[in-house]
Amino acid sequence: MQGTESEHRSGSAAIVGRPNVGKSTLLNAALGQALAIVSPVPQTTRNRILGIVHRAGYEIVLLDTPGIHKPHSQLGRVLNRTARDATADADVILYMTTPTRGVHPGDRTLLSDLGGKAPVILVVNQVDRLRDKSRLLPLIEELGKLRDFAAIVPISALRNDGVDRVLDEIAKLLPPGPRRFEADELTDRPLRFFAGEFVREQILRSTRQEIPHAVAVEVTSFEERGDTVHIDATIHVEREGQKRILIGHGGDKLKAVGTAARRRIEELIEKKVFLSLWVRVTPGWTESPRSLAELGYGSES
Ligand code: GDP
Ligand code: MG
């Protein structure tokens, strides 16, 4: 359906679910650009990330959210709140899960506290990992008993399979309305936010255990000078030992993180980037409401 101005639909959809089901991967597939950072580590996403999907006939503001989990720190509680707040104003909720044997206990809890206002689309992601697709049917049937879904869409966000169907299902549920963003607008967040995120992404991908959860990246300076951008960022960790690991022998680790992050930033902003990284020990930042707010967690929602 080609939209005339009166048929054009616009609105927002919040992507929620357990950690690691592929929410950020779906956002990126829908945008056709790896805007949200993705890693195998739970709690990779810490902020509400808004991506604008432009299609003929509709405009969808997709909200990527942190995975809702059992929190072990003040940071964890802030992340859960960020996710829940995003669902409160959305026109549509995309509830994402993965093929499990029987309903995952986390899904049972989350689906029952989603609230009742906005319609919910069930997205079963990562179906590429399922050898026997017939196993999907009993799961979908069981999930369907937990609440009413406006649609149920099995997808593989990683392979971009089924993503357009999800978008079409969202569009059907949106109110008629005009475009609210320019055709080339991808997000409401400034480039400097993504610069910090891309540094954190490389750290999550190259460290283990407690380090990913102990790291925050603060962009302290972001200066465009002609065709180049100069960025300074401080990586906060909680302990000296973490700082040593992150810097690595003779600074090797930090250098590799910086190089990979710089390439990602250059791709996004299409300019040459000079990136300088510092590592600082900020004890207890994951527990301190003030540090959390200063590092940009919780304040946007
Ligand atoms: P989030 O925590 O829900 O945002 O999940 P992410 O998007 O960060 O993805 C978590 C992990 O699952 C990453 O390693 C992704 O590459 C992987 N992943 C996401 N979607 C798919 C999918 O459709 N198939 C497979 N096999 N892996 C996926
Ligand atoms: Mg995520």
Side-chain angles (χ1 to χ4, degrees):
M1 187 177 67
Q2 200 65 33
T4 64
E5 208 48 36
S6 64
E7 291 165 329
H8 187 273
R9 293 170 181 274
S10 72
S12 60
I15 315 170
V16 294
R18 290 180 280 114
N20 259 352
V21 293
K23 299 179 292 300
S24 299
T25 306
L26 172 63
L27 177 78
N28 291 345
L31 294 176
Q33 186 145 5
L35 190 67
I37 68 170
V38 167
S39 92
V41 180
Q43 280 91 61
T44 294
T45 307
R46 289 180 178 168
N47 306 83
R48 177 186 66 75
I49 299 186
L50 183 153
I52 303 147
V53 177
H54 309 271
R55 291 283 195 282
Y58 59 80
E59 175 191 270
I60 302 171
V61 169
L62 271 184
L63 302 165
D64 184 20
T65 67
I68 302 177
H69 63 292
K70 210 170 166 191
H72 299 292
S73 65
Q74 188 59 27
L75 172 63
R77 281 184 280 279
V78 168
L79 301 189
N80 282 348
R81 201 188 324 130
T82 300
R84 293 214 158 89
D85 289 352
T87 64
D89 328 307
D91 295 304
V92 177
I93 293 171
L94 290 187
Y95 186 82
M96 185 179 270
T97 186
T98 52
T100 45
R101 236 176 243 287
V103 175
H104 189 287
D107 287 340
R108 210 175 277 282
T109 318
L110 289 179
L111 281 169
S112 69
D113 16 282
L114 265 185
K117 269 194 306 168
V120 181
I121 296 174
L122 177 66
V123 177
V124 185
N125 188 33
Q126 306 199 7
V127 295
D128 57 285
R129 298 177 64 176
L130 206 58
R131 257 183 246 133
D132 177 9
K133 302 276 188 271
S134 68
R135 274 181 43 201
L136 215 49
L137 289 173
L139 174 69
I140 284 174
E141 204 169 301
E142 257 193 276
L143 284 163
K145 287 182 193 147
L146 297 179
R147 70 176 300 142
D148 272 338
F149 295 108
I152 297 176
V153 193
I155 70 164
S156 169
L158 193 66
R159 298 191 181 167
N160 202 343
D161 184 2
V163 173
D164 285 333
R165 231 200 100 201
V166 174
L167 299 176
D168 287 343
E169 292 294 345
I170 297 170
K172 286 185 202 163
L173 299 166
L174 295 181
R179 288 172 206 289
R180 284 179 278 171
F181 296 91
E182 298 298 323
D184 60 351
E185 272 182 284
L186 197 62
T187 180
D188 66 338
R189 285 194 178 260
L191 291 171
R192 73 183 277 156
F193 168 78
F194 295 102
E197 286 289 274
F198 291 176
V199 172
R200 197 163 60 81
E201 178 177 52
Q202 295 308 321
I203 297 169
L204 300 191
R205 289 181 172 192
S206 63
T207 59
R208 273 154 221 248
Q209 292 174 4
E210 89 269 32
I211 309 256
H213 301 290
V215 164
V217 178
E218 181 185 17
V219 175
T220 52
S221 160
F222 186 102
E223 276 179 41
E224 305 205 36
R225 298 182 204 153
D227 285 345
T228 63
V229 182
H230 297 251
I231 303 168
D232 294 340
T234 299
I235 301 165
H236 297 263
V237 290
E238 293 194 294
R239 288 197 293 276
E240 275 305 326
Q242 296 163 341
K243 177 173 172 175
R244 270 198 305 280
I245 293 169
L246 207 54
I247 291 173
H249 292 291
D252 280 4
K253 182 95 162 183
L254 192 62
K255 203 169 162 202
V257 162
T259 304
R262 174 179 54 75
R263 292 203 181 111
R264 272 275 265 142
I265 301 166
E266 283 178 338
E267 247 172 72
L268 181 70
I269 65 187
E270 296 175 329
K271 283 187 177 180
K272 182 150 183 56
V273 167
F274 295 89
L275 174 66
S276 310
L277 299 177
W278 281 269
V279 183
R280 194 169 114 189
V281 179
T282 306
W285 75 262
T286 58
E287 294 298 344
S288 149
R290 185 162 158 210
S291 302
L292 287 166
E294 278 171 5
L295 294 169
Y297 297 125
S299 48
E300 76 275 4
S301 46

